[in-house]
Structure formats: C-alpha cells, structure tokens
C-alpha cells in the first residue's frame, strides 16, 4: 500500500511531498501548538491473474487463435485499462489488432478481443507474462498466460517411377501423377482417399492419434520395401498388397516418408477359386484353389519365361499367382488343373459371367485372352474358376443353384422311397 504521488505535509491540504515512500518530513517550532494535517494516502496494487487453457489442435502455417481474456482488477478503481506485455514467447507470435507485439509493449485502452497468437507448427506450449497498471500509475505483479497446442498429424509423400527397380528414389526418377492413395485405420476402415499430383506427391492430415497404413492403387505395380535404403528415399510397399505396414501417429507427428516406387516392369496374374455354385463369379465364401499350375505364353502361343526365368508358377494357399513380365509385349496364360482334381472331374467354369474383377477369364482349355501391359502396370484380373462339371443347368446364381440342389435331393428321395416300396412288396411276395 502506498500513495501514488506522495504524502501530504502538515498545513498543506492540497499538496504532497511527491515521494510515494510512506515517509513525511515535518518541521516543528515552539510557536506551533499542533500539526493536525500530517496525512498519509494509501493505494492497493492492481491485480493481474494467471490464465491457463485446455489443449487445442494446432493447424500448420499462419493460423491465429484468440488469447483468453486477461483478468485484471483494482481495489480502488475497478478494472484497469492498461496492459503491459512483459515478454513474448519464442515459439509463437503475439498480435494485437493485427500487428506483432514486442516485449515490454504497453497497450492503452486494452481490448482483449484484439489479442491473438499464432503458435509454431507442432506440439507447442505458449507462455508469456503480462501486468496491468491502475490510474494512479501503480503496476501489478506479473501474471502468466499458458496456452498448450497439439500439433497436426500428417503423412505422405511421393509415388515415383523406379526406373532401375532398386526400391530407392534415385536422382532423375520422376514422380507418377494420378495414383490413388488410400489411408486406413487399424480397424481397416477407410479414413481418406487422395490422388498424387503432377509431381507424384500426396498428403493426408490425420485427425486422431492411432495406428494407420497406406495403400496405393492396384492399377500400378510397385517395387517393394528396400531395407538398406534411407527412410526418406525408399519404397514402403510390402509384398503384393500394394500397401505399407501399420505405423503409429501421435499429436505433432509429421511423417513425410511413405513412398511407393512404380516398377519398370509389369505384373500379370491374380486368382484361382473353386466355383461351388457353377455361376462363373467369385462369390463370398467360395474357397481359393491351391496348387493350380499357371503357364506363360507369348501372343503366338509359344511357351516363354518371365523376367525371373519362370515359365510356370503355382497358386499359393490363397489361390494367388503372378508373373513379372517385360512391358509392351503381348502374353497369354494357361491354367493346368492338378491331376487329382482332373480325376475327380473338375473343369473350368463358365467364362465372362461377371465383371473383370470377379469373373473367370479362361476357356475350356485353360487359356486366357491376350494382354499387353505397360511399364508399371498391374493387371490383376486374370482369374480362373473351377467346378465339378456337374449340374450346371440353371445354376447362374446362388438361389438357382440351391433350388437345383434341393430339387435333385427331392427326386432322389422319391426314387429311393419307390424303390424301397417295390423291394418290400417283392419280399412279401417271396415270403408267401
């Protein structure tokens, strides 16, 4: 407590000694009976209060947030209107009425709605201090403003033509435009989809921490992950799934190293399945066919090998197969059923009964049509369905197949009952 201008000496009802130090010099003499006017005025310091906010997202680049109201008060005068910004944060820029604030800046007639802050990118906790001054010129103790920000989570980067197929982005290898890129969460749900730009770049802004993976479209064939390569320059595709492994993201994480190299060769192949209802379409629940041999031929029907020296491959436990081939040439495939399936009467199902992705593409001899892939193209529509070769009439869909099966069972049961009746009649006749 102290008077702002000084103390009032005796016999000076309107003046002060101009020193607000709580001290007053008084001169007395013998003629003075008393000194009744030795007055001391007191003034309480104004108060500036600390402010702390909850965390909030922090978009990148120039994004300004309003600073919360700075609570100030004064015992004698109410709410002061003068604010002094004592220091400025080193990880953000403060603005007042659109202009950057400097350390020690005094703001008269302070309007809290004009104070804003732009934090640096990423996770940031913005801290600065301020004081207020009352009408008597007394300044408060400093108060602290704390504003935590959670940085954006971003992933992305480049799809490029891996001309030498080494799985690394070498100088001079250009980006590939218009590749569809899909982001999945750990539940396999599609979070977002985008396409690469003219430079082969893509980017996702992620809204929640978690585990994610990226998948690149199946129109292209990619070089796989290159373990010795630098993270910023390798292809992150793992195997034939055209996508990455799962990776974790937390607030403020920016991972711009998720790349994919488009292979200089082409890939042809796909799937063999057991067409249980004989309709020529890959229906849910129908099993893959393992151990089916697939052979590679040129456009004239001559047996050839792929770039790895394979003339034939065998479907795996998932019914999958594939050949890496030179682009720009025409090819045919021939599917060969295992001998045990041939002995059981299995044949190739009807061809062209559905769309390119879900139909069977082979004739009765097991040959496909010709395909001519381009560099980096991934042709995964050369499928083959096999069935038992029985009861094909009226079996164009599940319900038709089921009705045919039930009808056949009914006829067989009726025949068995009639035969049993005749046997019993004959037994009775002979027993007589």
């Amino acid at each position: 407590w102290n008077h702002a201008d000084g103390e009032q000496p005796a016999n000076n009802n309107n003046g002060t000694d101009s020193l607000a130090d709580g001290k007053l010099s008084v001169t007395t003499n013998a003629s003075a009976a008393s000194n009744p006017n030795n007055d001391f005025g007191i003034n309480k310091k104004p108060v500036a209060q600390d402010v702390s906010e909850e965390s909030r997202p922090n978009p990148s680049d120039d994004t300004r947030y309003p600073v919360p109201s700075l609570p100030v008060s004064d015992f004698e005068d109410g709410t002061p209107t003068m604010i002094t910004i004592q220091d400025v944060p080193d990880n953000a820029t403060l603005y007042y009425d659109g202009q950057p604030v400097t350390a020690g800046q005094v703001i008269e007639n302070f309007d809290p709605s004009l104070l804003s802050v732009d934090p640096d990118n990423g996770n940031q906790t913005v801290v600065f201090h301020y004081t207020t001054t009352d009408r008597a010129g007394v300044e408060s103790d400093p108060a602290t403003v704390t504003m935590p920000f959670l940085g954006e989570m971003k992933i992305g980067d480049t799809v490029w033509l891996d001309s030498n197929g080494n799985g690394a982005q070498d100088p001079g290898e250009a980006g590939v435009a218009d590749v569809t890129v899909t982001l999945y969460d750990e539940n396999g749900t599609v979070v977002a989809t985008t396409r690469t730009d003219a430079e082969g770049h893509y980017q996702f802004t992620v809204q929640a921490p978690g585990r994610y993976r990226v998948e690149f479209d199946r129109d292209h064939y990619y070089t796989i992950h290159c373990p010795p390569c630098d993270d910023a320059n390798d292809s992150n595709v793992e195997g034939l799934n055209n996508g990455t492994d799962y990776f974790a993201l937390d607030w403020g994480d920016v991972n711009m190293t998720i790349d994919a190299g488009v292979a200089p060769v082409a890939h042809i192949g796909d799937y063999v399945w057991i067409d249980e209802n004989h309709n020529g379409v890959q229906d849910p629940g129908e099993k893959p066919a393992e151990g089916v041999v697939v052979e590679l031929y040129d456009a004239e029907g001559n047996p050839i090998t792929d770039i790895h020296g394979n003339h034939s491959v065998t479907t795996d436990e998932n019914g999958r197969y594939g050949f890496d081939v030179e682009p720009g040439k025409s090819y045919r495939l021939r599917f060969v059923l295992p001998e045990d399936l041939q002995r059981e009467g299995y044949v190739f199902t009807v061809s062209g009964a559905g769309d390119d992705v879900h139909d069977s593409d082979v004739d009765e001899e097991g040959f496909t049509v010709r395909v001519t892939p381009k560099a980096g193209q991934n042709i995964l529509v050369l499928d083959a369905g096999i069935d038992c070769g029985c009861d094909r009439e009226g079996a164009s869909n599940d319900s038709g197949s089921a009705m045919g099966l039930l009808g056949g069972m009914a006829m067989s049961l009726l025949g068995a009952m009639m035969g049993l009746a005749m046997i019993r009649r004959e037994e009775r006749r002979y027993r007589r």
Side-chain angles (χ1 to χ4, degrees):
W1 295 72
N2 67 334
H3 193 285
D5 299 315
E7 295 74 28
Q8 178 177 298
N11 302 316
N12 187 355
N13 292 332
N14 298 315
T16 70
D17 70 354
S18 301
L19 297 173
D21 57 4
K23 299 178 182 179
L24 178 64
S25 297
V26 178
T27 302
T28 61
N29 54 53
S31 62
S34 63
N35 291 318
N37 296 317
N38 295 311
D39 302 326
F40 289 81
I42 58 175
N43 180 41
K44 188 176 182 179
K45 277 187 178 182
V47 176
Q49 298 181 24
D50 293 343
V51 179
S52 183
E53 283 212 322
E54 296 291 332
S55 299
R56 68 175 78 182
N58 179 22
S60 301
D61 304 322
D62 185 10
T63 304
R64 301 181 189 181
Y65 291 96
V67 173
S69 295
L70 305 182
V72 295
S73 61
D74 181 57
F75 182 78
E76 293 83 14
D77 303 322
T79 302
T81 60
M82 180 186 295
I83 295 292
T84 302
I85 304 299
Q86 296 293 326
D87 52 34
V88 293
D90 58 5
N91 59 351
T93 302
L94 283 177
Y95 294 90
Y96 186 76
D97 198 15
Q99 300 300 314
V101 176
T102 58
Q105 180 172 336
V106 178
I107 304 174
E108 302 276 0
N109 300 315
F110 177 72
D111 182 348
S113 68
L114 299 180
L115 187 62
S116 62
V117 61
D118 177 15
D120 294 347
N121 297 344
N123 293 336
Q124 303 291 347
T125 299
V126 175
V127 177
F128 66 95
H129 302 86
Y130 76 99
T131 59
T132 187
T133 302
D134 66 12
R135 285 187 294 176
V138 177
E139 189 174 22
S140 69
D141 294 328
T144 303
V145 179
T146 305
M147 301 178 66
F149 291 90
L150 300 175
E152 282 186 324
M153 296 168 286
K154 293 184 178 183
I155 58 174
D157 206 30
T158 307
V159 179
W160 86 98
L161 182 59
D162 190 5
S163 301
N164 58 10
N166 68 347
Q169 299 178 47
D170 297 309
E173 292 181 332
V176 178
D178 209 33
V179 176
T180 300
V181 188
T182 305
L183 178 67
Y184 293 88
D185 65 16
E186 60 186 337
N187 299 315
T189 303
V190 174
V191 176
T193 299
T194 189
R195 301 181 78 86
T196 56
D197 62 18
E199 304 298 324
H201 299 311
Y202 75 94
Q203 179 176 290
F204 294 107
T205 298
V206 182
Q207 302 301 319
R211 287 171 54 80
Y212 297 88
R213 67 181 295 269
V214 169
E215 189 169 291
F216 304 92
D217 69 34
R218 292 182 175 271
D219 294 335
H220 297 83
Y221 186 48
Y222 304 94
T223 51
I224 63 173
H225 179 60
C226 170
C229 301
D230 185 277
D231 284 343
N233 297 306
D234 66 345
S235 180
N236 296 100
V237 175
E238 297 286 350
L240 292 177
N241 64 359
N242 289 8
T244 69
D245 286 337
Y246 279 96
F247 50 86
L249 284 178
D250 203 352
W251 292 112
D253 288 347
V254 177
N255 185 351
M256 305 305 291
T257 66
I258 310 298
D259 309 307
V262 174
V265 299
H267 185 79
I268 57 178
D270 200 23
Y271 183 60
V272 182
W273 87 101
I274 298 175
D275 188 17
E276 295 178 355
N277 60 5
H278 326 295
N279 67 349
V281 176
Q282 302 169 35
D283 295 305
E286 291 183 329
K287 298 179 180 179
E290 181 180 1
V292 177
V293 175
V294 189
E295 299 174 336
L296 182 65
Y297 293 84
D298 64 15
E300 287 72 36
N302 301 308
I304 58 172
T305 60
D306 67 5
I307 64 171
H308 305 296
N310 300 316
H311 167 61
S312 65
V313 295
T314 304
T315 58
D316 63 17
E317 67 274 12
N318 299 310
R320 302 292 178 184
Y321 77 94
F323 292 97
D324 292 342
V325 297
E326 293 183 38
K329 296 183 178 180
S330 296
Y331 302 92
R332 294 184 71 188
L333 300 180
R334 178 176 179 243
F335 295 80
V336 182
L337 296 180
E339 291 184 1
D340 58 339
L341 292 181
Q342 294 184 44
R343 285 195 298 269
E344 294 176 18
Y346 276 85
V347 294
F348 293 107
T349 191
V350 293
S351 177
D355 59 56
D356 285 342
V357 176
H358 298 98
D359 67 350
S360 181
D361 299 283
V362 302
D363 59 22
E364 293 181 355
E365 301 299 322
F367 279 97
T368 67
V369 297
R370 295 177 179 84
V371 292
T372 307
K374 300 177 182 179
Q377 190 174 9
N378 195 31
I379 300 179
L380 293 178
V381 295
L382 299 177
D383 307 315
I386 59 176
D387 64 36
C388 63
C390 56
D391 191 32
R392 281 192 173 184
E393 292 187 8
S396 59
N397 54 49
D398 290 341
S399 59
S401 178
M403 291 299 294
L405 179 61
L406 290 173
M409 292 175 62
M411 291 298 294
S412 298
L413 180 60
L414 179 61
M417 293 176 64
M418 292 180 63
L420 180 60
M422 292 179 65
I423 291 172
R424 288 179 175 174
R425 187 170 64 247
E426 289 296 316
E427 287 179 344
R428 289 196 295 272
R429 184 166 66 88
Y430 283 114
R431 279 199 294 268
R432 290 174 184 169

